[in-house]
Structures are given as structure tokens and as C-alpha cells.
Amino acid sequence: MTAASPAPRGWFITFEGAEGAGKSTQIDMLARSLRARGHVVQTSREPGGTAAGIKIRTLLLDPQARLVPRSELLLYAADRAQHVDEIVRPALASGCVLLCDRHADSLVAYQAYGRGIDLQLVEDLNRIATAGLVPDLTLLLDLEPEVGLARAAQRSTADRLEREDLAFHRRVREGFLAIARARPERVHLVPAAAGVEAVHRQVLAVVEKRLDISS
Ligand code: Z5A
């Protein structure tokens, strides 16, 4: 009797970084490049990757919403729990490459470093929300907050988080950089000030090398 072959396991790749860093742009470009190489690719985002998450996202980004930091924290975590069970785990079980615009690292950068909520508590909450799932690879698109906010402002009016002051956005960037230093095996820092094609070439090179999916 032969042993059953292992279930297919896809790749979970997250994109993190400040607003306007180019995450959505790079996810679209990477998805196209990987599909052209024959890979099955799915894209998603947090918050708002599920029907329930879209409602949570509307509340989280509403400039009129008066959310206290703990309430904001729990809403992001609720969105993540729903997204992991409804989208991420099924995508990975089907063997596809899932590219996700923001995930657990954003909770650490924004709610722990940005808001000042206890880091251990935020990490514990992430473990609950993800039920222990960790991305295979994270691309951290690093950019001066001033540049990212200016890019975002050109595109649309500022949402609730974008209205925070520059000091908040600087703390968030520090948070992301601290995560990259602490998790070098997973998080790859990509300078994001260059043009979109140049950033894409770096992203693609990292994905091909780290996950060996160049064929
Ligand atoms: N948040 C949180 O606090 N805690 C959490 O756990 C999670 C999230 C998951 C989600 O907002 C907010 O929730 C976010 C963090 C917080 N805070 N804010 N603000 P979102 O998803 O709506 O916003 P975002 O993630 O910040 O995305 P964004 O503003 O759309 O940025 P992006 O996806 O990184 O950039 P983009 O859309 O690809 O590009 C923005 C513009 O720049 C666009 O016009 C592009 O054409 C242009 N662009 C892109 N790349 C370049 C380059 N290389 N050069 C020049 N111009 C460029």
C-alpha cells in the first residue's frame, strides 16, 4: 500500500507597507507575471477581502467613525479571522498562489507602533485571528511616509487612517522596519521610491528566489 500524496499547499504572499507605497499596483503586476508563467494566482486584501470584511472595512476607513483604539484593533482582527477561514486557507488548500494586500504585520505596525497598544497583546490577537497561519513570504514596500501620503492624496480623499498626523505614519514605518529586522527569514524589504517597473523587477526576483517558482 502506498502512502497518500501530501495535499497541495499553495503559497501565501503578503504585501505590507505605508499607504501609497504601491502594494495594489505591485500585486496586479506580480499576478500578471506569475499567471504568464502558468501559475494559478488569487488576490485578496485586508481589511475587506470577504463580504463581512467589506462592511468592517467601510466602518474602519470612515472619517466620521469615532473609533477608540481597542475597538479599531478588534475590528481589524475580526476582519482577519473571517478572511483567513473564508479565503486564505481554501486558496492555499487548492494549491494556488495567494497575493494579499496587507495582513497581520499591519496590525503590529499600525495598532502597536502607531497607536501604542501593547505589542504582546497585538501579537496574541493576531495569533487568535490567524489561528497560527503565517505567510510564506512578505514583501515590505518601504517608502518615506510623506511620499506615500502624497501619492495616496493624488488618487482619492484621505480615509480615517490617512488623516493621522505625520508622527503616527513615521511610527508605523518604524514598526514595519522593526518587523523586517525581527523576521528576516520571512520579510523582504523592497525600497519603493523607484518607478513601478523597477519595483516590480525587484518583487519578481524575490518571489522567484525565495519560493523557487520561476519555472
Ligand atoms: N490597517 C490597520 O491599521 N491595521 C491592519 O491590521 C490592517 C490595515 C490590515 C487600509 O487602507 C488601512 O487600514 C491602512 C492601514 C490600516 N491605512 N491607511 N491609510 P487601504 O487598504 O485602503 O489603503 P492602503 O493599504 O494604504 O493602500 P493604498 O493607499 O491604496 O496604497 P497602495 O496599495 O500601497 O498603493 P497603490 O494603490 O498601488 O498606489 C497608490 C498611488 O501611487 C497610485 O496612484 C499609483 O499609481 C501610484 N504609484 C504606485 N507605485 C508607484 C511608484 N513606484 N511610483 C510612483 N507612483 C506610484
Side-chain angles (χ1 to χ4, degrees), residues 76 87 180 182:
Y76 278 115
I87 303 292

Side-chain angles (χ1 to χ4, degrees), residues 19-20 22-25 57 76 80 102 110-111 155 194:
E19 31 286 300
K23 299 177 295 300
S24 317
T25 304
R57 177 185 174 89
Y76 278 115
R80 181 155 307 124
R102 296 194 183 281
Y110 282 85
Q111 279 63 52
R155 197 201 33 198

Side-chain angles (χ1 to χ4, degrees), residues 17-26 46-47 57 61 72 76 80 101-104 106-107 110-111 151-152 155 159 161-162 169 192-196 199:
E19 31 286 300
K23 299 177 295 300
S24 317
T25 304
Q26 293 303 324
E46 293 180 9
R57 177 185 174 89
L61 299 188
E72 178 185 272
Y76 278 115
R80 181 155 307 124
D101 193 339
R102 296 194 183 281
H103 184 63
S106 280
L107 201 75
Y110 282 85
Q111 279 63 52
R151 282 184 190 171
R155 197 201 33 198
D159 64 36
L161 276 288
E162 285 166 358
H169 292 286
V196 290
V199 177

